[in-house]
Amino acid sequence: MRKRDVVIIGSGPAGLTAAIYTARASLKPLLIDAPADAAQQTTPGGQLMITTDVENYPGFARGIQGPELMDEFRQQAERFGTEFMEGWITEVDLSERPFQIYIDGGPTIVTETLIIATGASAKWLGIPGEAKVPDGFGGNGVSACATCDGPLPAFRNKTLVVVGGGDTAMEEATFLTRYAAKVYVVHRRDKLRASKIMQEKAFRNEKIEFIWNTAVDEILGNNEHGVTGVHLRNLVNGEEGDFPCSGVFVAIGHKPNTELFKGQLDMDAIGYLKTSGHSTATNIPGVFACGDVQDSVYRQAVTAAGSGCMSAIDAERYLDHLPVAMPTGEEITIEGEHITADHQAIITPDGHLIPNDSEVAIGED
């Protein structure tokens, strides 16, 4: 069994930023992440590990490769003393503090605070050519984030395909028209699931055309040029054929990685963790959430990193207010308040004795 003040689950921009801040605060955080596993679609470092050029992260005027950026994050966290562990978490018990985290084949982790930065995974089609390079064209013409990759030179003034029919697909297609010559939306049905306002916005855009009742069965391309087209199949008449394009954006939604916390933490209808107001606090004191696991709106590396910083500060402040047991039986907080061994009174730093009873304290005022 290992005991920690801070445990962070997830090693994307949110988790590593939380690690940097808590490590600099001398809290000696332990960061746990799942091993790399193609079958489970897990990649330590998060979604930036399957992204090539990152041009919108502040501080890199000439851009940076996604894996290189995450390596910089990790080195910075290590520099300040973050401990890293890879392993499959089988269960997290948040019923009482300290919280317990069970690792398959590993030690049980006990922690006073928990920062959840497990992110959200893009939903994929599961077709040939979709996997990340070198097994497919993921990162070389296939993307699940138009905001991240749309402005790249590889997609400018090109014909692009967006797969999906919901709000996400309409947002992606509309955004891509800023850079692409033409955007084709391929949808399995003859009408969209998107909200009416998003549909109308897409229908009015002269650069967007729709291919109805059609599925993408394969993404075509080669190592030199990346994506060169898609193989389409009409679901009504069965006709098939290749459609030339230079990029494919899969926009069928995201799934937050929150299975471990179901029944313990408050979530929205999709599964994103709910946080309180301007903080990253969840409904359980001492548990904080940051990054895409609680953000269904922005989903950017810079916003994830920012919320990771917030979680670290929230956790640090929470720990500051926890009493620490002393050999005498008393407990003391960082502010210098002593709680007597029988928990009946609080002794302030200047020596005042305050009954540890709200009704008595109010009556004396």
Side-chain angles (χ1 to χ4, degrees):
M1 181 177 291
R2 298 187 189 179
K3 192 175 188 307
R4 291 290 187 276
D5 285 329
V6 179
V7 168
I8 301 162
I9 304 178
S11 62
L16 288 172
T17 301
I20 291 167
Y21 272 77
T22 51
R24 289 189 73 248
S26 300
L27 295 176
K28 299 178 180 178
L30 171 65
L31 189 149
I32 306 172
D33 201 19
D37 189 317
Q40 298 290 332
Q41 293 187 335
T42 56
T43 304
Q47 295 186 58
L48 282 182
M49 294 299 290
I50 58 172
T51 303
T52 50
D53 296 314
V54 178
E55 297 185 327
N56 55 3
Y57 199 88
F60 298 92
R62 295 175 179 81
I64 186 171
Q65 296 286 299
E68 183 183 357
L69 177 60
M70 296 320 301
D71 185 57
E72 292 285 341
F73 270 70
R74 187 182 181 97
Q75 287 188 45
Q76 192 171 0
E78 288 177 331
R79 172 189 166 199
F80 295 114
T82 300
E83 181 184 351
F84 290 85
M85 173 188 291
E86 278 193 0
W88 295 108
I89 299 175
T90 58
E91 183 185 353
V92 176
D93 184 356
L94 305 178
S95 60
E96 61 180 359
R97 191 179 53 77
F99 310 118
Q100 296 194 51
I101 303 169
Y102 300 94
I103 310 291
D104 184 22
T108 298
I109 310 299
V110 177
T111 182
E112 296 290 347
T113 61
L114 176 65
I115 295 176
I116 300 170
T118 48
S121 301
K123 295 179 181 178
W124 296 97
L125 299 167
I127 60 175
E130 185 183 54
K132 66 179 181 179
V133 173
D135 299 318
F137 303 103
N140 190 22
V142 176
S143 173
C145 181
T147 310
C148 311
D149 300 329
L152 296 176
F155 299 120
R156 287 181 179 268
N157 301 312
K158 301 292 178 59
T159 297
L160 306 178
V161 164
V162 172
V163 184
D167 280 351
T168 299
M170 297 308 102
E171 290 172 2
E172 299 272 282
T174 302
F175 179 83
L176 288 171
T177 58
R178 302 180 188 182
Y179 311 100
K182 196 76 174 179
V183 177
Y184 289 87
V185 176
V186 179
H187 187 43
R188 297 177 62 88
R189 299 176 178 85
D190 60 359
K191 57 184 177 180
L192 300 171
R193 293 178 289 103
S195 59
K196 190 171 183 61
I197 188 170
M198 291 303 300
Q199 290 189 41
E200 291 177 350
K201 190 173 182 180
F203 288 147
R204 287 197 305 266
N205 196 312
E206 295 180 352
K207 282 189 173 184
I208 298 176
E209 287 193 23
F210 291 84
I211 302 176
W212 304 104
N213 297 312
T214 300
V216 178
D217 282 349
E218 184 178 357
I219 298 172
L220 311 172
N222 54 62
N223 293 334
E224 183 180 356
H225 298 103
V227 170
T228 59
V230 290
H231 186 78
L232 301 180
R233 175 171 51 90
N234 188 290
L235 299 175
V236 176
N237 58 30
E239 291 183 1
E240 298 185 28
D242 294 343
F243 184 85
C245 66
S246 298
V248 178
F249 288 79
V250 179
I252 57 176
H254 288 73
K255 180 183 178 183
N257 302 319
T258 54
E259 289 290 333
L260 279 172
F261 313 106
K262 284 187 175 178
Q264 300 189 82
L265 296 176
D266 288 346
M267 306 178 185
D268 66 13
I270 299 174
Y272 287 92
L273 296 181
K274 293 183 177 180
T275 52
S276 176
H278 294 294
S279 79
T280 63
T282 67
N283 59 298
I284 295 181
V287 180
F288 308 92
C290 55
D292 288 7
V293 76
Q294 53 85 53
D295 173 20
S296 62
V297 178
Y298 301 104
R299 297 199 301 263
Q300 299 298 301
V302 67
T303 53
S307 66
C309 163
M310 293 166 61
S311 278
I313 293 173
D314 288 342
E316 182 181 358
R317 289 174 177 170
Y318 178 84
L319 287 168
D320 285 350
H321 289 83
L322 288 181
V324 177
M326 306 299 289
T328 58
E330 291 181 321
E331 295 176 340
I332 184 172
T333 68
I334 201 168
E335 290 87 0
E337 293 178 343
H338 288 259
I339 302 171
T340 57
D342 59 8
H343 282 214
Q344 296 303 304
I346 298 171
I347 305 171
T348 65
D350 57 4
H352 286 83
L353 183 68
I354 302 173
N356 192 20
D357 186 311
S358 58
E359 293 184 0
V360 174
I362 292 171
E364 290 182 348
D365 288 340

